[in-house]
Amino acid sequence: MLRSVTNRQSESARTYLDFSALSPALDAAAQLVALSLGFPISLINIIDGDTQYTLAQFGSPAHARNVVPRSRTVCANTVESTRIVEIADAYSPNSQVGARNATVHGSSVDLGPGSPQELLVESGLAAYVGIALTGREGLPIGALCVFDTAPHPITDSQRELLPLLAVMVEEHLDSHRNRTPPVVGPTDAVELAAALAADEVAPWYQPIVDLDTGSVVAVEALARWNHPSRGVLGPASFIAVAETSELIIDLDLAVLSAGAVDLRAWLPADPGLILHVNLSGAHFAHPNCVDRLTSVVRAAGVDPGSVVLEITESVAFTVNSASAHFVGELRRIGFGVVLDDVGAGWSGLERLLQLPLTGFKVDKAVTDRLGTTAGDAMMRALHSLSVDLGMSLTVEGVETVEQARAIAALGSVRGQGYWWARPTVAASVADFLSCDLRARTGYHTASGRSAESRPDDAYVGGG
C-alpha cells in the first residue's frame, strides 16, 4: 500500500521546512532571480497539501506573511502545472488573463472564479511568472516566482532563462535540506519511485532460528529490485537513494505490504511464524505513521502481533519523547519493535535504554569477532543485557559452525545468517519452514565448513 502521489508530494515538501537551518544563500538566490528577470519581487515557496511557506524572498513588503493557506496562493496553480505559468496583466479586462485565463507557456487554461488573477489583484499586484521546483524525490515541492505591481510580460529569452534559475534554486534547496546528499542522481530516485509503483521491488526471505529448538520462528523480509533490464538488484544498488529521500518510506511500506500478504499464506501451516520488516526512522517524522503501518498489515489480513518492526541503527533519527511515543503506540497495537545492528555503533546502547523495545539484534561486526577475547566479551555482555531487560536477542551474520556453537551456548538466543540459509524468494520459504535445524546449531555437526561470505543485507526492509 504505497502513499498516493498527493501524499508523497506533500510529505516531500515538508522535508524542506527547517526554518532554523535557513542560510543567506537562498535569499541571495531569490535576489539573483529577480535581477536576472527584471522583476522587483521574487519568492522561493515550498507548498505542501495545505500551506505555502516562503523560505526566501526579495523585494516583497516587510509585513508579507511567510505562511499562507494553499488555497490563497498563486503558486499552487504553478505546482500543479508542468509548465511556466505567466500572468502578464491581471487588471486588463481585454487580455486572456482578464478573461480568467492565465498563459501556461504554449497554451491557456481556464482558471475560473478565485483564480490566480483575482488573488494578484487582491494583493495589489499585476504580473506574475512562476515555475515549479522539483525536490529530491522527483516531485514538485514548491515554486520559484516573480511579481510586479505593473503589467510585465516576459521575453522569450527570459522564458528560457527561468528553468535554469529554477535548477540553481533546487540545488540550494537540496543543500538546505538536512540530509546527506544522495550518491546517485535524481533520475535514479525517479526510477526507483516508478519501480515501487510498478511492484518491481519485492521481498526475499531469510530464516531466523531458535537455537534451543532448531526451529524457524521468524523470517526477515529483504528487499530486492526485479529490474527489467539489470536483473535482480540487491540493496547496494538502491538503498542509498531511498535513505536520502522520502522514498525510504514507500520502500518500507512496499516490503511490509508484500511480506504481510506472504505471511498470511504461511500462517495456516505455521501459526506462530513471525515476519520481521525493517522500519526507517524517517517514518517517525510523520504523525500518521502508526496508523499507516497498522493499516498496511491489517489490509493483508494479518494481526500486528505477527509482525516485528526493526529499527536500523544506521538510519539516523532522534531518540526523544516523540519517537518513544511512536514506539510505545506500535507496542500497544501489538507490533514487536526491535533495534537492529546493535554493536555497529555507540548510539544503539542509548536507544536500548530510551525506547520501549521488545528486543534487539546483534550486528554482524560483533559476530565476526567471536573467538576473540573482545568479541566473546561483547557477545556475553549483550546477552546478559537482553536477559536483564527481558528482551529477545537475535545474532546476525552467523556463517560458521564455530559461531553457531558460541551463540547456542549462551542459551535463549536466535540466530540468522548464511550458516542456515541465504535469502530466497517467497515460493521457497516452505522448504526451510519444515526443516529441523538443530543439526545446524553447531552442537550436532562435525563440519567446520564456513558459509559463503554474506552480501550487504544489513538493511532489512530495504536490503
Side-chain angles (χ1 to χ4, degrees), residues 338-354:
V338 304
L339 186 63
D340 197 11
D341 300 334
V342 171
W346 291 105
S347 61
L349 297 178
E350 178 185 4
R351 294 176 183 182
L352 279 175
L353 300 176
Q354 293 183 346

Side-chain angles (χ1 to χ4, degrees), residues 160-182:
E160 292 172 358
L161 178 60
L162 184 56
L164 301 179
L165 294 170
V167 170
M168 175 195 69
V169 172
E170 289 165 356
E171 289 294 324
H172 282 296
L173 287 172
D174 197 67
S175 297
H176 161 70
R177 182 167 165 172
N178 189 25
R179 295 196 181 191
T180 304

Side-chain angles (χ1 to χ4, degrees), residues 105-440:
H105 185 45
S107 64
S108 293
V109 292
D110 182 18
L111 298 175
S115 68
Q117 175 206 8
E118 293 179 344
L119 294 174
L120 288 175
V121 172
E122 290 176 10
S123 302
L125 298 168
Y128 168 90
V129 182
I131 187 171
L133 295 169
T134 301
R136 193 176 292 175
E137 290 75 27
L139 298 169
I141 46 87
L144 171 63
C145 53
V146 292
F147 300 86
D148 202 336
T149 55
H152 193 149
I154 65 170
T155 65
D156 288 340
S157 60
Q158 291 172 324
R159 197 174 286 117
E160 292 172 358
L161 178 60
L162 184 56
L164 301 179
L165 294 170
V167 170
M168 175 195 69
V169 172
E170 289 165 356
E171 289 294 324
H172 282 296
L173 287 172
D174 197 67
S175 297
H176 161 70
R177 182 167 165 172
N178 189 25
R179 295 196 181 191
T180 304
V183 297
V184 289
T187 54
D188 292 300
V190 174
E191 185 182 14
L192 178 57
L196 289 166
D199 294 327
E200 291 176 6
V201 177
W204 286 29
Y205 299 95
Q206 188 172 37
I208 297 174
V209 180
D210 184 328
L211 297 188
D212 290 336
T213 66
S215 300
V216 174
V217 293
V219 290
E220 185 172 36
L222 304 153
R224 293 294 184 267
W225 182 353
N226 298 309
H227 197 282
S229 61
R230 297 166 61 192
V232 178
L233 302 181
S237 300
F238 56 89
I239 283 300
V241 68
E243 286 186 329
T244 53
S245 71
E246 288 284 289
L247 287 177
I248 191 64
I249 294 177
D250 296 295
L251 182 63
D252 286 349
L253 294 176
V255 172
L256 177 61
S257 178
V261 170
D262 288 337
L263 178 65
R264 184 182 179 185
W266 299 323
L267 284 176
D270 192 348
L273 187 66
I274 300 296
L275 175 71
H276 282 235
V277 180
N278 201 64
L279 184 71
S280 166
H283 289 267
F284 297 145
H286 303 289
N288 65 339
C289 75
V290 174
D291 291 339
R292 180 186 289 160
L293 293 165
T294 305
S295 296
V296 168
V297 171
R298 287 182 172 157
V302 171
D303 187 273
S306 296
V307 177
V308 171
L309 302 171
E310 299 189 5
I311 302 173
T312 306
E313 187 182 359
S314 61
V315 178
F317 77 100
T318 303
V319 178
N320 51 29
S321 59
S323 56
H325 169 75
F326 283 135
V327 173
E329 281 298 291
L330 290 169
R331 291 280 312 277
R332 182 185 64 79
I333 290 168
F335 288 102
V337 184
V338 304
L339 186 63
D340 197 11
D341 300 334
V342 171
W346 291 105
S347 61
L349 297 178
E350 178 185 4
R351 294 176 183 182
L352 279 175
L353 300 176
Q354 293 183 346
L355 295 174
L357 302 163
T358 55
F360 61 93
K361 302 183 77 174
V362 177
D363 187 73
K364 184 179 183 292
V366 179
T367 309
D368 285 343
R369 293 186 62 80
L370 286 173
T372 69
T373 301
D376 291 344
M378 174 66 80
M379 189 66 76
R380 287 194 302 269
L382 291 173
H383 178 262
S384 296
L385 183 63
S386 71
V387 172
D388 292 343
L389 296 178
M391 294 183 177
S392 65
L393 175 66
T394 302
V395 178
E396 296 183 298
V398 179
E399 298 182 350
T400 70
V401 63
E402 290 82 12
Q403 292 170 345
R405 283 175 177 161
I407 62 174
L410 295 172
S412 301
V413 178
R414 296 174 178 180
Q416 180 180 353
Y418 278 16
W419 179 246
W420 292 285
R422 290 174 172 273
T424 186
V425 295
S428 300
V429 168
D431 294 340
F432 57 67
L433 288 182
S434 59
C435 290
D436 181 345
L437 298 178
R438 282 176 292 182
R440 300 294 290 174

Side-chain angles (χ1 to χ4, degrees), residues 63-112:
H63 65 273
R65 291 179 294 171
N66 288 331
V67 180
V68 296
R70 178 176 176 136
S71 61
R72 300 296 301 166
T73 67
V74 182
C75 285
N77 184 71
T78 303
V79 170
E80 295 165 4
S81 174
T82 58
R83 291 168 288 183
I84 297 172
V85 173
E86 305 171 28
I87 302 176
D89 185 358
Y91 290 90
S92 173
N94 298 318
S95 67
Q96 284 187 318
V97 171
R100 300 192 189 280
N101 286 276
T103 301
V104 181
H105 185 45
S107 64
S108 293
V109 292
D110 182 18
L111 298 175

